[in-house]
């Protein structure tokens, strides 16, 4: 056999060279792909331009020309997520979101595309968040969780999505059942089909995930209204203050910097164009000067009529400074047309995150670059002296230890 092949190879070198060339190109391509996607283990999607259409073909445009306030159900089946690799309720750490950049600071929505595996993020803080939510539901009830009658179907649709998604993504925590799903750790069983439900659908949804949740629905004026929510761990805002408000008023009533000038048009475009197959993500961050995840007592009692940074003690010890980051997703529910916000909070002591390479220098630069309106909104005047002095010192320690800041972009990518 070998004697038969050898003359063929010698006499027909071109096919062999072609095969070698194809092999070489394949290896080169694989190396390029590996380098592209291994720069960070959880590289996220591209940034979106809200001034351009977010759909790719005419079939995706269905609904953008519909009458305001009218949504026709869309036949869309969310792709099943892969099980989270080696997820463990004791050992899976929170993702290290550090969504701040060196100055100058720019006011943008900061949207990027979302992969379906990324929709709901659970980690080893799950049981603490679950206990905090259960306590808050017991203590505050309807002040934190409610569903308007006209939003009931959308809230139930969210429950259906959770009961399909969570057992697929976290099979060691959730088991799908004929009635909904079971929590294999807490022993809870969620029946989402019985009527009446045993509790408000948004309250039930709150028990399933670490996120706060809100669903916005479009009315005939083209505005999206907050008609369903479970806001239990928000820290700085209350559901009852924003209940039934349109999207624009939610932001203007909260004095969100640059909203009218830089954000409103893009946000309204996003909500109008958002399709069930086009979910998006964004991150933000705050500094908090107490360690209370559900509500920051530093800005006043949760039941006070007037709350604000003016009540916070000034320049408390650095041990009282916490880094609070939100990772938000937005997706359109295909049946009801509601737009779901998931708001997952990550909450860490400043002295913990400042140990990480590049973080103290970059965070100090970001805080110094805030404009006056952003600085007021984030309360900088109440903590800047102590915080910036501490961050500067930790940054200098890292430089003295040999940290090469010119390599920062090689070692990390936004929002980490």
């Amino acid at each position: 056999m070998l004697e038969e092949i050898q003359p063929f190879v010698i006499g027909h070198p071109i096919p062999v060279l072609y095969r070698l060339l194809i092999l070489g190109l394949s290896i080169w391509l694989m190396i390029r792909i590996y380098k592209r996607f291994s720069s960070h283990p959880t590289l996220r999607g591209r940034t979106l331009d809200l001034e351009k259409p977010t759909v790719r073909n005419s079939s995706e445009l269905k609904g953008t020309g519909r009458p305001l306030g009218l949504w026709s159900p869309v036949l869309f089946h969310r792709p099943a997520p892969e099980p989270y690799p080696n997820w463990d309720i004791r050992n899976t750490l929170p993702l290290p979101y550090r969504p701040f950049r060196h100055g100058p600071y720019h006011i943008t929505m900061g949207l990027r595309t979302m992969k379906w595996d990324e929709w709901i993020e659970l980690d080893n803080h799950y049981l603490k968040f679950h206990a905090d939510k259960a306590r808050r539901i017991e203590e505050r009830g309807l002040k934190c969780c409610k569903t308007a009658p006209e939003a009931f179907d959308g809230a139930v649709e969210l429950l259906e999505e959770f009961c399909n998604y969570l057992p697929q993504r976290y099979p060691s925590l959730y088991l799908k059942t004929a009635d909904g799903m079971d929590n294999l750790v807490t022993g809870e069983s969620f029946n989402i089909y019985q009527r009446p439900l045993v509790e408000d659908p948004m309250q039930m949804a709150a028990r399933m995930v670490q996120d706060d949740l809100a669903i916005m629905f479009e009315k005939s004026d083209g505005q999206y209204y907050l008609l369903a929510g479970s806001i239990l761990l928000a820290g700085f805002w209350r559901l009852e203050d924003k209940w039934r408000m349109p999207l624009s008023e939610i932001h203007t009533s909260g004095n969100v910097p640059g909203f009218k000038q830089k954000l409103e048009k893009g946000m309204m475009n996003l909500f109008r164009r958002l399709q069930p197959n086009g979910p998006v993500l964004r991150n933000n961050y705050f500094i908090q000067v107490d360690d209370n995840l559900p509500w920051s007592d530093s800005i006043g009692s949760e039941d006070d009529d007037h709350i604000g940074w003016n009540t916070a003690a000034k320049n408390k010890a650095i041990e009282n400074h916490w880094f609070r980051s939100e990772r938000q997703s937005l997706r359109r529910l295909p049946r009801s047309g509601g737009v779901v916000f998931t708001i997952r909070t990550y909450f860490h002591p400043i002295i913990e995150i400042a140990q990480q390479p590049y973080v103290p220098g970059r965070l100090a630069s970001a805080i110094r670059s805030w404009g006056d309106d952003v600085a007021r909104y984030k309360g900088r005047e109440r903590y800047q002296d102590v915080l910036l002095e501490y961050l500067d010192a930790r940054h200098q320690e890292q430089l003295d230890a040999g940290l090469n800041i010119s390599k920062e972009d090689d070692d990390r990518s936004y929002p980490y």
Side-chain angles (χ1 to χ4, degrees):
M1 183 69 175
L2 289 175
E3 291 78 9
E4 296 174 357
I5 294 175
Q6 186 174 10
F8 176 82
V9 172
I10 296 174
H12 301 80
I14 294 178
V16 176
L17 291 175
Y18 279 152
R19 291 187 178 94
L20 291 174
L21 180 60
I22 292 172
L23 178 61
L25 288 172
S26 299
I27 293 173
W28 176 83
L29 182 61
M30 290 174 65
I31 292 173
R32 294 286 294 178
I33 292 174
Y34 173 79
K35 288 182 176 179
R36 171 68 178 86
F37 289 99
S38 63
S39 60
H40 194 282
T42 48
L43 187 66
R44 297 313 201 218
R46 63 181 178 87
T47 300
L48 301 182
D49 184 350
L50 295 180
E51 300 304 318
K52 297 179 179 179
T54 56
V55 293
R56 297 181 179 85
N57 57 58
S58 59
S59 64
E60 291 181 304
L61 285 168
K62 181 179 180 182
T64 56
R66 57 184 167 77
L68 296 178
L70 179 64
W71 175 263
S72 297
V74 173
L75 183 62
F76 170 74
H77 298 288
R78 171 190 47 77
E82 293 293 325
Y84 195 110
N86 303 313
W87 189 87
D88 185 270
I89 200 166
R90 295 173 299 276
N91 300 318
T92 299
L93 297 175
L95 292 176
Y97 290 115
R98 308 291 181 260
F100 43 84
R101 295 183 169 95
H102 291 281
Y105 182 86
H106 300 287
I107 297 176
T108 68
M109 290 179 64
L111 296 172
R112 60 190 188 278
T113 55
M114 185 191 85
K115 301 174 183 177
W116 288 109
D117 286 357
E118 302 168 354
W119 183 34
I120 299 296
E121 295 177 346
L122 305 180
D123 51 50
N124 63 359
H125 289 189
Y126 174 85
L127 290 176
K128 179 187 185 309
F129 278 57
H130 187 274
D132 281 345
K133 285 189 170 189
R135 175 178 54 81
R136 298 272 289 167
I137 289 171
E138 180 69 23
E139 292 174 354
R140 302 190 66 82
L142 288 176
K143 291 184 177 181
C144 295
C145 301
K146 59 177 69 178
T147 304
E150 64 268 35
F152 181 83
D153 182 63
V156 170
E157 186 179 6
L158 178 60
L159 287 175
E160 294 169 0
E161 282 289 306
F162 279 172
C163 288
N164 282 306
Y165 183 94
L166 293 170
Q168 294 169 338
R169 185 63 170 159
Y170 303 99
S172 65
L173 178 60
Y174 284 112
L175 175 68
K176 186 172 174 56
T177 67
D179 296 325
M181 69 178 178
D182 292 343
N183 187 316
L184 301 175
V185 173
T186 66
E188 295 165 294
S189 291
F190 299 102
N191 186 330
I192 66 172
Y193 296 111
Q194 71 180 71
R195 296 294 183 271
L197 291 171
V198 296
E199 60 184 334
D200 181 275
M202 295 303 293
Q203 187 166 292
M204 183 181 291
R207 301 181 191 274
M208 299 175 176
V209 295
Q210 289 174 245
D211 309 62
D212 280 333
L213 305 165
I215 313 181
M216 312 289 293
F217 293 88
E218 187 186 63
K219 292 190 177 183
S220 58
D221 60 359
Q223 284 276 358
Y224 279 77
Y225 289 77
L226 177 53
L227 300 181
S230 54
I231 306 299
L232 294 157
L233 308 175
F236 295 107
W237 69 281
R238 303 170 292 203
L239 177 62
E240 55 188 338
D241 293 338
K242 311 296 184 181
W243 183 242
R244 287 189 176 275
M245 276 190 183
L247 186 66
S248 293
E249 188 178 353
I250 287 174
H251 289 81
T252 55
S253 65
N255 297 314
V256 174
F259 177 73
K260 280 291 184 182
Q261 300 85 353
K262 299 180 179 180
L263 299 176
E264 185 174 29
K265 180 181 178 182
M267 191 175 294
M268 295 306 296
N269 284 343
L270 168 68
F271 272 69
R272 184 66 178 164
R273 295 172 178 172
L274 191 64
Q275 296 295 305
N277 63 345
V280 296
L281 292 171
R282 68 180 301 273
N283 292 75
N284 62 26
Y285 68 97
F286 302 89
I287 304 299
Q288 187 170 322
V289 290
D290 60 72
D291 62 356
N292 192 355
L293 169 65
W295 177 259
S296 177
D297 295 318
S298 298
I299 66 169
S301 167
E302 192 169 4
D303 293 312
D304 285 352
D305 292 334
H306 302 289
I307 55 176
W309 274 104
N310 60 300
T311 66
K314 189 172 182 179
N315 290 321
K316 297 169 71 173
I318 192 62
E319 290 77 13
N320 296 296
H321 291 63
W322 286 66
F323 177 75
R324 185 182 189 102
S325 176
E326 292 180 350
R327 183 264 197 188
Q328 303 172 356
S329 78
L330 293 86
R331 59 165 294 197
R332 172 89 68 178
L333 295 173
R335 186 175 73 229
S336 66
V339 174
V340 177
F341 276 88
T342 67
I343 309 163
R344 171 62 205 280
T345 299
Y346 294 80
F347 196 52
H348 304 281
I350 285 290
I351 58 176
E352 175 186 305
I353 70 165
Q355 298 175 24
Q356 299 163 1
Y358 309 110
V359 165
R362 193 170 79 250
L363 180 55
S365 174
I367 292 172
R368 285 189 170 100
S369 73
W370 296 344
D372 291 343
D373 53 350
V374 175
R376 284 192 299 272
Y377 181 70
K378 292 179 180 280
R380 186 177 66 186
E381 186 266 341
R382 311 308 290 180
Y383 50 74
Q384 61 181 347
D385 295 342
V386 168
L387 178 59
L388 291 175
E389 180 182 5
Y390 178 82
L391 293 175
D392 289 344
R394 300 292 81 74
H395 177 58
Q396 188 60 51
E397 288 176 358
Q398 292 184 358
L399 294 178
D400 293 344
L403 182 72
N404 186 347
I405 59 174
S406 67
K407 294 184 177 180
E408 180 173 359
D409 290 340
D410 296 330
D411 294 342
R412 57 162 295 276
S413 60
Y414 185 87
Y416 300 96

